[in-house]
Amino acid sequence: METTATPRIRLEDIEKELLQEATKGKEIEEFRPGDTVRVYMRMIEGDKEKIHPFEGVVIAVKGAGIRRTITVRKVIHGYGVERIFPLYSPNLVKLQVLRRGKVRRAKLYYLRGKKGKAAKIKERK
Amino acid sequence: MVGLIGRKIGMSQLFRETGEVVPVTVIEAGPCPVIDIRTKEKHGYRAVVLGFGVKKSPNKPYAGIFQRIKKIRPDAPDIPPTQVLREIRDFNGDVKIGDFVDVSIFKPGMKVDVTGYTKGRGFAGVMKRYGFAGGPDSHGSKFHRRPGSIGTSKTPGRVLKGKRMPGRYGCDKQTVLGLEVVKVDKERNLLFVKGSVPGPRGGYLIIRSHKGGEGDGG
C-alpha cells in the first residue's frame, strides 16, 4: 500500500457508479413529464412478496442521478392519488410508458385542480 | 478504539435491500500510515499517530518525523510526509510504526463517531449563532434581528460574563456520535456513513469506533 497522492475522488463519479449498479437488470423506459406510465413496485406484505403496478401521469421529476424521484398521479373514484417513487429503488422493478403526453412545462401541478376534460393531456406524436 | 483520518467527499443516498433510502456521507478514509506510537511509560497515555494525505512541500523538521520511521523499522515502506497528523487515543489492535491502517477496520453496521471542524460562518448575529427569536418582521416593528436587553441597570451595572452576543461562529471542533457505517469500499478507501458530518467537502475528519460500541474497549 502507498500513500501517493491518489487522484481526487469526486462525488459525481461515485454517484454515477451507484446509478449504474442500481439500473442493472432493470427495465426503465425513457419518459417525460406528462407521460402516462405503469410502475411496477415490489411490495412485501408479511412474508409474501408481490409486484404491485401503479398507473398514472408523471407530474414531476425531481432530483438527479440516484436521487431521482417521480411523482405519479391518478384519479381513483374521484379522488386524486399521487405517489412518489424513488426511480432507482431496488423495489422498483419496471417502468412502462403507456402513452406519451404533450405538455409545455416540467411540473404539472396544475392538474391537481382540474377535473374531467380539463385534466386531459394531448398525445405526443 | 479504532480510528482513521479521512476527508469528506460529500453526501448522497443509498438504498437498503428493503428499498429504504439511507442518507449517507461519503468519506475517503485512509490508508493511514502509523507514524509514531505513544506509550503509557514514555508519554503517560496510549495512542497511535496516524498520517493522511501527502504534504506538498514539507519543511525539514516535519520531514524528519517521517524519516524516523525507516530508522526504527528498516523494512517499512517509504512514507512521504503526510498532510495531516492525528493521534488516536487507546488504539486497539497490534500496530507497529510503519504499518498501514485502512477502512477494513470498519464493517457495515458498526457505529462510529466522526470529528471535524464545522463550516465557518464568520461574524454572525445572535439569531444564527444562538437561535434567538429576534423580533417581528412587520406590523411596524423596527426590532428585527437584534439581541434585545443584555442585562439590568445599576445592579450589577455590568454585563454578565458569558452573555451570548454576536461574534465569530463556526470553525468549531465538533463530534457526531453513533453514526452507522452503511457501506465500506475497500478498493477505493471509501466509507459510507449514515447522516451528516461536520465541515465542508474536502474537510479533514477523524473517524473512530463509537464509544461503547463494537471495536471499542481495550
Side-chain angles (χ1 to χ4, degrees), chain A residues 43-107:
Chain A
M43 310 268 269
I44 294 150
E45 271 172 28
D47 49 352
K48 269 186 297 179
E49 197 186 277
K50 63 173 192 177
I51 289 179
H52 184 77
F54 187 87
E55 211 176 294
V57 182
V58 178
I59 63 163
V61 180
K62 281 186 180 179
I66 191 136
R67 297 188 303 273
R68 176 156 287 183
T69 61
I70 58 171
T71 306
V72 181
R73 177 183 170 86
K74 81 194 263 196
V75 177
I76 306 172
H77 305 305
Y79 290 97
V81 176
E82 285 176 19
R83 286 200 59 178
I84 301 169
F85 297 100
L87 197 53
Y88 301 110
S89 163
N91 287 345
L92 196 153
V93 192
K94 191 175 164 189
L95 186 140
Q96 224 174 22
V97 176
L98 305 175
R99 182 173 177 274
R100 305 211 170 259
K102 187 178 166 188
V103 288
R104 300 179 69 156
R105 54 211 71 222
K107 305 279 191 265

Side-chain angles (χ1 to χ4, degrees), chain A residues 2-61:
Chain A
E2 321 158 53
T3 37
T4 45
T6 43
R8 260 181 99 88
I9 297 174
R10 287 164 61 232
L11 187 65
E12 292 77 20
D13 299 334
I14 296 167
E15 288 206 316
K16 221 173 267 172
E17 268 170 55
L18 290 176
L19 185 62
Q20 261 172 14
E21 253 168 68
T23 44
K24 218 175 275 172
K26 235 191 246 183
E27 300 168 60
I28 297 176
E29 264 185 78
E30 213 174 290
F31 65 95
R32 283 197 220 169
D35 292 354
T36 306
V37 295
R38 189 181 287 151
V39 183
Y40 293 84
M41 220 36 198
R42 190 184 292 125
M43 310 268 269
I44 294 150
E45 271 172 28
D47 49 352
K48 269 186 297 179
E49 197 186 277
K50 63 173 192 177
I51 289 179
H52 184 77
F54 187 87
E55 211 176 294
V57 182
V58 178
I59 63 163
V61 180

Side-chain angles (χ1 to χ4, degrees), chain B residues 4-69:
Chain B
L4 269 185
I5 308 169
R7 206 171 59 87
K8 177 167 164 181
I9 291 180
M11 290 197 72
S12 186
Q13 70 178 33
L14 291 175
F15 291 100
R16 284 196 210 279
E17 274 166 36
T18 53
E20 190 194 343
V21 173
V22 192
V24 291
T25 307
V26 187
I27 302 168
E28 182 188 3
C32 298
V34 178
I35 308 298
D36 202 355
I37 288 172
R38 309 269 186 251
T39 57
K40 189 105 197 163
E41 297 73 42
K42 203 170 165 198
H43 307 91
Y45 62 96
R46 285 195 329 117
V48 296
V49 180
L50 298 180
F52 180 68
V54 176
K55 199 167 181 79
K56 270 192 202 137
S57 41
N59 59 26
K60 276 200 174 169
Y62 191 75
I65 300 172
F66 300 88
Q67 281 155 15
R68 190 173 152 263
I69 298 166

Side-chain angles (χ1 to χ4, degrees), chain B residues 95-108:
Chain B
V95 286
K96 289 190 286 293
I97 291 177
D99 282 354
F100 278 87
V101 185
D102 68 8
V103 285
S104 57
I105 59 172
F106 296 117
K107 305 255 160 2

Side-chain angles (χ1 to χ4, degrees), chain B residues 72-131:
Chain B
I72 294 172
R73 239 184 100 184
D75 62 319
D78 277 331
I79 295 165
T82 57
Q83 180 70 38
V84 285
L85 284 178
R86 293 285 183 276
E87 287 186 9
I88 310 278
R89 293 282 291 251
D90 300 319
F91 200 91
N92 274 359
D94 195 20
V95 286
K96 289 190 286 293
I97 291 177
D99 282 354
F100 278 87
V101 185
D102 68 8
V103 285
S104 57
I105 59 172
F106 296 117
K107 305 255 160 2
M110 254 173 94
K111 298 269 197 255
V112 290
D113 299 339
V114 181
T115 303
Y117 283 87
T118 57
K119 282 183 184 172
R121 266 153 269 236
F123 194 97
V126 103
M127 284 178 70
K128 189 181 204 61
R129 196 173 181 210
Y130 293 112

